[in-house]
mmCIF file of all heavy atoms in Angstrom:
data_model
loop_
_atom_site.group_PDB
_atom_site.id
_atom_site.type_symbol
_atom_site.label_atom_id
_atom_site.label_comp_id
_atom_site.label_asym_id
_atom_site.label_seq_id
_atom_site.Cartn_x
_atom_site.Cartn_y
_atom_site.Cartn_z
ATOM 1 N N HIS A 1 16.121 -10.813 -17.723
ATOM 2 C CA HIS A 1 15.326 -11.886 -17.148
ATOM 3 C C HIS A 1 16.184 -12.814 -16.296
ATOM 4 O O HIS A 1 17.273 -13.237 -16.705
ATOM 5 C CB HIS A 1 14.652 -12.688 -18.255
ATOM 6 C CG HIS A 1 13.515 -11.964 -18.889
ATOM 7 N ND1 HIS A 1 12.508 -12.606 -19.582
ATOM 8 C CD2 HIS A 1 13.207 -10.639 -18.925
ATOM 9 C CE1 HIS A 1 11.627 -11.699 -20.022
ATOM 10 N NE2 HIS A 1 12.050 -10.507 -19.640
ATOM 11 N N GLY A 2 15.683 -13.116 -15.101
ATOM 12 C CA GLY A 2 16.380 -14.013 -14.188
ATOM 13 C C GLY A 2 15.622 -15.310 -14.005
ATOM 14 O O GLY A 2 15.802 -16.263 -14.756
ATOM 15 N N GLU A 3 14.734 -15.348 -12.994
ATOM 16 C CA GLU A 3 13.940 -16.537 -12.722
ATOM 17 C C GLU A 3 12.495 -16.147 -12.433
ATOM 18 O O GLU A 3 12.207 -14.975 -12.158
ATOM 19 C CB GLU A 3 14.511 -17.287 -11.509
ATOM 20 C CG GLU A 3 15.850 -17.938 -11.756
ATOM 21 C CD GLU A 3 16.277 -18.845 -10.602
ATOM 22 O OE1 GLU A 3 15.760 -18.674 -9.465
ATOM 23 O OE2 GLU A 3 17.111 -19.706 -10.843
ATOM 24 N N PRO A 4 11.580 -17.120 -12.458
ATOM 25 C CA PRO A 4 10.179 -16.827 -12.161
ATOM 26 C C PRO A 4 9.992 -16.370 -10.710
ATOM 27 O O PRO A 4 10.606 -16.904 -9.786
ATOM 28 C CB PRO A 4 9.474 -18.168 -12.408
ATOM 29 C CG PRO A 4 10.375 -18.908 -13.340
ATOM 30 C CD PRO A 4 11.757 -18.504 -12.936
ATOM 31 N N ILE A 5 9.161 -15.364 -10.545
ATOM 32 C CA ILE A 5 8.706 -14.923 -9.229
ATOM 33 C C ILE A 5 7.211 -14.683 -9.355
ATOM 34 O O ILE A 5 6.599 -15.055 -10.357
ATOM 35 C CB ILE A 5 9.432 -13.638 -8.767
ATOM 36 C CG1 ILE A 5 9.223 -12.487 -9.775
ATOM 37 C CG2 ILE A 5 10.914 -13.896 -8.566
ATOM 38 C CD1 ILE A 5 9.738 -11.136 -9.297
ATOM 39 N N THR A 6 6.611 -14.029 -8.379
ATOM 40 C CA THR A 6 5.219 -13.595 -8.516
ATOM 41 C C THR A 6 5.157 -12.088 -8.274
ATOM 42 O O THR A 6 6.014 -11.526 -7.585
ATOM 43 C CB THR A 6 4.269 -14.301 -7.533
ATOM 44 O OG1 THR A 6 4.459 -13.775 -6.212
ATOM 45 C CG2 THR A 6 4.489 -15.806 -7.533
ATOM 46 N N PHE A 7 4.140 -11.468 -8.834
ATOM 47 C CA PHE A 7 3.979 -10.027 -8.621
ATOM 48 C C PHE A 7 3.666 -9.736 -7.163
ATOM 49 O O PHE A 7 4.003 -8.671 -6.634
ATOM 50 C CB PHE A 7 2.893 -9.466 -9.538
ATOM 51 C CG PHE A 7 2.831 -7.965 -9.546
ATOM 52 C CD1 PHE A 7 3.973 -7.207 -9.761
ATOM 53 C CD2 PHE A 7 1.635 -7.300 -9.330
ATOM 54 C CE1 PHE A 7 3.927 -5.816 -9.758
ATOM 55 C CE2 PHE A 7 1.574 -5.912 -9.332
ATOM 56 C CZ PHE A 7 2.726 -5.168 -9.550
ATOM 57 N N GLY A 8 3.042 -10.698 -6.509
ATOM 58 C CA GLY A 8 2.787 -10.548 -5.081
ATOM 59 C C GLY A 8 4.070 -10.386 -4.285
ATOM 60 O O GLY A 8 4.127 -9.612 -3.324
ATOM 61 N N LEU A 9 5.120 -11.105 -4.680
ATOM 62 C CA LEU A 9 6.406 -10.977 -3.998
ATOM 63 C C LEU A 9 6.999 -9.587 -4.211
ATOM 64 O O LEU A 9 7.615 -9.024 -3.297
ATOM 65 C CB LEU A 9 7.376 -12.047 -4.497
ATOM 66 C CG LEU A 9 7.089 -13.492 -4.061
ATOM 67 C CD1 LEU A 9 8.069 -14.447 -4.734
ATOM 68 C CD2 LEU A 9 7.168 -13.634 -2.547
ATOM 69 N N VAL A 10 6.833 -9.040 -5.405
ATOM 70 C CA VAL A 10 7.319 -7.686 -5.678
ATOM 71 C C VAL A 10 6.640 -6.695 -4.736
ATOM 72 O O VAL A 10 7.289 -5.849 -4.106
ATOM 73 C CB VAL A 10 7.057 -7.299 -7.143
ATOM 74 C CG1 VAL A 10 7.384 -5.823 -7.392
ATOM 75 C CG2 VAL A 10 7.879 -8.180 -8.079
ATOM 76 N N LEU A 11 5.334 -6.801 -4.635
ATOM 77 C CA LEU A 11 4.575 -5.901 -3.769
ATOM 78 C C LEU A 11 4.931 -6.120 -2.295
ATOM 79 O O LEU A 11 4.973 -5.168 -1.507
ATOM 80 C CB LEU A 11 3.080 -6.116 -3.989
ATOM 81 C CG LEU A 11 2.561 -5.674 -5.363
ATOM 82 C CD1 LEU A 11 1.222 -6.352 -5.676
ATOM 83 C CD2 LEU A 11 2.404 -4.168 -5.418
ATOM 84 N N ALA A 12 5.204 -7.361 -1.929
ATOM 85 C CA ALA A 12 5.575 -7.663 -0.543
ATOM 86 C C ALA A 12 6.921 -7.040 -0.178
ATOM 87 O O ALA A 12 7.120 -6.599 0.960
ATOM 88 C CB ALA A 12 5.611 -9.174 -0.330
ATOM 89 N N VAL A 13 7.848 -7.018 -1.138
ATOM 90 C CA VAL A 13 9.133 -6.359 -0.899
ATOM 91 C C VAL A 13 8.922 -4.872 -0.634
ATOM 92 O O VAL A 13 9.501 -4.288 0.286
ATOM 93 C CB VAL A 13 10.087 -6.564 -2.094
ATOM 94 C CG1 VAL A 13 11.297 -5.637 -1.991
ATOM 95 C CG2 VAL A 13 10.558 -8.009 -2.157
ATOM 96 N N TRP A 14 8.085 -4.247 -1.448
ATOM 97 C CA TRP A 14 7.785 -2.821 -1.241
ATOM 98 C C TRP A 14 7.153 -2.602 0.124
ATOM 99 O O TRP A 14 7.479 -1.647 0.833
ATOM 100 C CB TRP A 14 6.858 -2.309 -2.341
ATOM 101 C CG TRP A 14 7.424 -2.393 -3.727
ATOM 102 C CD1 TRP A 14 8.723 -2.637 -4.063
ATOM 103 C CD2 TRP A 14 6.716 -2.225 -4.959
ATOM 104 N NE1 TRP A 14 8.859 -2.633 -5.431
ATOM 105 C CE2 TRP A 14 7.655 -2.384 -6.004
ATOM 106 C CE3 TRP A 14 5.397 -1.962 -5.278
ATOM 107 C CZ2 TRP A 14 7.296 -2.286 -7.352
ATOM 108 C CZ3 TRP A 14 5.021 -1.863 -6.618
ATOM 109 C CH2 TRP A 14 5.971 -2.021 -7.646
ATOM 110 N N PHE A 15 6.229 -3.482 0.487
ATOM 111 C CA PHE A 15 5.553 -3.390 1.789
ATOM 112 C C PHE A 15 6.572 -3.461 2.921
ATOM 113 O O PHE A 15 6.553 -2.638 3.840
ATOM 114 C CB PHE A 15 4.534 -4.527 1.912
ATOM 115 C CG PHE A 15 3.833 -4.606 3.242
ATOM 116 C CD1 PHE A 15 2.631 -3.952 3.451
ATOM 117 C CD2 PHE A 15 4.386 -5.337 4.297
ATOM 118 C CE1 PHE A 15 1.984 -4.019 4.684
ATOM 119 C CE2 PHE A 15 3.747 -5.412 5.527
ATOM 120 C CZ PHE A 15 2.543 -4.746 5.717
ATOM 121 N N ASP A 16 7.463 -4.441 2.859
ATOM 122 C CA ASP A 16 8.425 -4.633 3.936
ATOM 123 C C ASP A 16 9.372 -3.445 4.061
ATOM 124 O O ASP A 16 9.723 -3.034 5.168
ATOM 125 C CB ASP A 16 9.221 -5.918 3.688
ATOM 126 C CG ASP A 16 10.080 -6.305 4.880
ATOM 127 O OD1 ASP A 16 9.512 -6.569 5.951
ATOM 128 O OD2 ASP A 16 11.319 -6.323 4.740
ATOM 129 N N GLU A 17 9.776 -2.881 2.926
ATOM 130 C CA GLU A 17 10.678 -1.734 2.960
ATOM 131 C C GLU A 17 9.993 -0.514 3.584
ATOM 132 O O GLU A 17 10.602 0.233 4.351
ATOM 133 C CB GLU A 17 11.166 -1.408 1.552
ATOM 134 C CG GLU A 17 12.253 -0.354 1.514
ATOM 135 C CD GLU A 17 12.987 -0.291 0.194
ATOM 136 O OE1 GLU A 17 12.987 -1.294 -0.547
ATOM 137 O OE2 GLU A 17 13.565 0.768 -0.092
ATOM 138 N N LEU A 18 8.729 -0.325 3.264
ATOM 139 C CA LEU A 18 8.006 0.802 3.838
ATOM 140 C C LEU A 18 7.698 0.581 5.317
ATOM 141 O O LEU A 18 7.549 1.548 6.075
ATOM 142 C CB LEU A 18 6.721 1.064 3.062
ATOM 143 C CG LEU A 18 6.928 1.744 1.702
ATOM 144 C CD1 LEU A 18 5.607 1.937 0.989
ATOM 145 C CD2 LEU A 18 7.620 3.094 1.872
ATOM 146 N N LYS A 19 7.614 -0.675 5.744
ATOM 147 C CA LYS A 19 7.491 -0.951 7.179
ATOM 148 C C LYS A 19 8.735 -0.448 7.918
ATOM 149 O O LYS A 19 8.648 0.083 9.022
ATOM 150 C CB LYS A 19 7.320 -2.447 7.428
ATOM 151 C CG LYS A 19 5.867 -2.915 7.435
ATOM 152 C CD LYS A 19 5.762 -4.420 7.613
ATOM 153 C CE LYS A 19 6.382 -4.891 8.899
ATOM 154 N NZ LYS A 19 6.264 -6.374 9.065
ATOM 155 N N HIS A 20 9.878 -0.623 7.284
ATOM 156 C CA HIS A 20 11.117 -0.116 7.879
ATOM 157 C C HIS A 20 11.090 1.410 7.933
ATOM 158 O O HIS A 20 11.472 2.019 8.944
ATOM 159 C CB HIS A 20 12.329 -0.593 7.076
ATOM 160 C CG HIS A 20 13.628 -0.053 7.575
ATOM 161 N ND1 HIS A 20 14.515 0.623 6.767
ATOM 162 C CD2 HIS A 20 14.173 -0.061 8.806
ATOM 163 C CE1 HIS A 20 15.554 0.999 7.490
ATOM 164 N NE2 HIS A 20 15.392 0.595 8.727
ATOM 165 N N ALA A 21 10.634 2.023 6.841
ATOM 166 C CA ALA A 21 10.518 3.489 6.830
ATOM 167 C C ALA A 21 9.565 3.958 7.925
ATOM 168 O O ALA A 21 9.810 4.990 8.578
ATOM 169 C CB ALA A 21 10.039 3.963 5.461
ATOM 170 N N LEU A 22 8.490 3.214 8.133
ATOM 171 C CA LEU A 22 7.524 3.564 9.174
ATOM 172 C C LEU A 22 8.172 3.524 10.559
ATOM 173 O O LEU A 22 7.929 4.401 11.394
ATOM 174 C CB LEU A 22 6.332 2.603 9.123
ATOM 175 C CG LEU A 22 5.205 2.853 10.123
ATOM 176 C CD1 LEU A 22 4.575 4.219 9.893
ATOM 177 C CD2 LEU A 22 4.149 1.750 10.024
ATOM 178 N N SER A 23 9.016 2.524 10.793
ATOM 179 C CA SER A 23 9.692 2.439 12.094
ATOM 180 C C SER A 23 10.644 3.619 12.288
ATOM 181 O O SER A 23 10.788 4.132 13.406
ATOM 182 C CB SER A 23 10.448 1.114 12.219
ATOM 183 O OG SER A 23 11.565 1.062 11.355
ATOM 184 N N LEU A 24 11.289 4.065 11.204
ATOM 185 C CA LEU A 24 12.168 5.239 11.290
ATOM 186 C C LEU A 24 11.365 6.492 11.609
ATOM 187 O O LEU A 24 11.811 7.351 12.384
ATOM 188 C CB LEU A 24 12.924 5.426 9.976
ATOM 189 C CG LEU A 24 13.967 4.363 9.608
ATOM 190 C CD1 LEU A 24 14.591 4.679 8.256
ATOM 191 C CD2 LEU A 24 15.055 4.274 10.678
ATOM 192 N N LEU A 25 10.179 6.611 11.020
ATOM 193 C CA LEU A 25 9.331 7.768 11.277
ATOM 194 C C LEU A 25 8.844 7.778 12.730
ATOM 195 O O LEU A 25 8.792 8.837 13.374
ATOM 196 C CB LEU A 25 8.139 7.763 10.319
ATOM 197 C CG LEU A 25 8.475 8.030 8.852
ATOM 198 C CD1 LEU A 25 7.277 7.673 7.967
ATOM 199 C CD2 LEU A 25 8.865 9.490 8.635
ATOM 200 N N LYS A 26 8.495 6.613 13.231
ATOM 201 C CA LYS A 26 8.054 6.534 14.632
ATOM 202 C C LYS A 26 9.208 6.880 15.572
ATOM 203 O O LYS A 26 9.010 7.554 16.594
ATOM 204 C CB LYS A 26 7.506 5.135 14.926
ATOM 205 C CG LYS A 26 6.168 4.859 14.245
ATOM 206 C CD LYS A 26 5.667 3.461 14.554
ATOM 207 C CE LYS A 26 4.297 3.219 13.911
ATOM 208 N NZ LYS A 26 3.791 1.850 14.171
ATOM 209 N N ASN A 27 10.395 6.434 15.229
ATOM 210 C CA ASN A 27 11.567 6.788 16.022
ATOM 211 C C ASN A 27 11.832 8.295 15.959
ATOM 212 O O ASN A 27 12.184 8.926 16.966
ATOM 213 C CB ASN A 27 12.795 6.023 15.518
ATOM 214 C CG ASN A 27 14.065 6.428 16.252
ATOM 215 O OD1 ASN A 27 14.236 6.141 17.420
ATOM 216 N ND2 ASN A 27 14.971 7.105 15.543
ATOM 217 N N ALA A 28 11.649 8.864 14.749
ATOM 218 C CA ALA A 28 11.835 10.309 14.582
ATOM 219 C C ALA A 28 10.829 11.086 15.414
ATOM 220 O O ALA A 28 11.161 12.127 16.004
ATOM 221 C CB ALA A 28 11.712 10.682 13.107
ATOM 222 N N LYS A 29 9.611 10.591 15.488
ATOM 223 C CA LYS A 29 8.584 11.241 16.306
ATOM 224 C C LYS A 29 8.993 11.229 17.778
ATOM 225 O O LYS A 29 8.847 12.229 18.489
ATOM 226 C CB LYS A 29 7.241 10.537 16.122
ATOM 227 C CG LYS A 29 6.122 11.118 16.961
ATOM 228 C CD LYS A 29 4.856 10.281 16.832
ATOM 229 C CE LYS A 29 3.840 10.674 17.891
ATOM 230 N NZ LYS A 29 2.649 9.809 17.874
ATOM 231 N N GLU A 30 9.522 10.105 18.226
ATOM 232 C CA GLU A 30 10.010 10.012 19.605
ATOM 233 C C GLU A 30 11.181 10.973 19.820
ATOM 234 O O GLU A 30 11.273 11.652 20.844
ATOM 235 C CB GLU A 30 10.452 8.566 19.885
ATOM 236 C CG GLU A 30 11.246 8.370 21.163
ATOM 237 C CD GLU A 30 10.433 8.598 22.416
ATOM 238 O OE1 GLU A 30 9.189 8.532 22.351
ATOM 239 O OE2 GLU A 30 11.053 8.846 23.475
ATOM 240 N N CYS A 31 12.067 11.048 18.835
ATOM 241 C CA CYS A 31 13.273 11.868 18.939
ATOM 242 C C CYS A 31 12.963 13.361 19.008
ATOM 243 O O CYS A 31 13.645 14.118 19.705
ATOM 244 C CB CYS A 31 14.184 11.578 17.736
ATOM 245 S SG CYS A 31 15.754 12.454 17.756
ATOM 246 N N ILE A 32 11.912 13.781 18.295
ATOM 247 C CA ILE A 32 11.613 15.222 18.204
ATOM 248 C C ILE A 32 10.680 15.689 19.315
ATOM 249 O O ILE A 32 10.502 16.903 19.501
ATOM 250 C CB ILE A 32 11.003 15.570 16.828
ATOM 251 C CG1 ILE A 32 11.164 17.063 16.522
ATOM 252 C CG2 ILE A 32 9.531 15.162 16.763
ATOM 253 C CD1 ILE A 32 12.579 17.540 16.424
ATOM 254 N N SER A 33 10.102 14.788 20.058
ATOM 255 C CA SER A 33 9.067 15.156 21.032
ATOM 256 C C SER A 33 9.658 15.669 22.351
ATOM 257 O O SER A 33 9.312 15.212 23.442
ATOM 258 C CB SER A 33 8.138 13.966 21.292
ATOM 259 O OG SER A 33 7.464 13.594 20.114
ATOM 260 N N TYR A 34 10.561 16.616 22.217
ATOM 261 C CA TYR A 34 11.224 17.205 23.379
ATOM 262 C C TYR A 34 11.117 18.726 23.323
ATOM 263 O O TYR A 34 11.259 19.326 22.264
ATOM 264 C CB TYR A 34 12.710 16.822 23.419
ATOM 265 C CG TYR A 34 12.947 15.406 23.880
ATOM 266 C CD1 TYR A 34 12.817 14.340 23.002
ATOM 267 C CD2 TYR A 34 13.283 15.143 25.213
ATOM 268 C CE1 TYR A 34 13.025 13.032 23.420
ATOM 269 C CE2 TYR A 34 13.497 13.842 25.650
ATOM 270 C CZ TYR A 34 13.368 12.787 24.747
ATOM 271 O OH TYR A 34 13.570 11.506 25.177
ATOM 272 N N GLY A 35 10.875 19.317 24.490
ATOM 273 C CA GLY A 35 10.863 20.760 24.596
ATOM 274 C C GLY A 35 12.016 21.252 25.448
ATOM 275 O O GLY A 35 12.709 20.455 26.091
#
């Protein structure tokens, strides 16, 4: 146990991290779209 937070903050951290993953996926799509 550390300090009080809210469960909403926990979920927001997950959201923000997956936003970063989404940007990597979009970059990967750009990177692979070559023939």
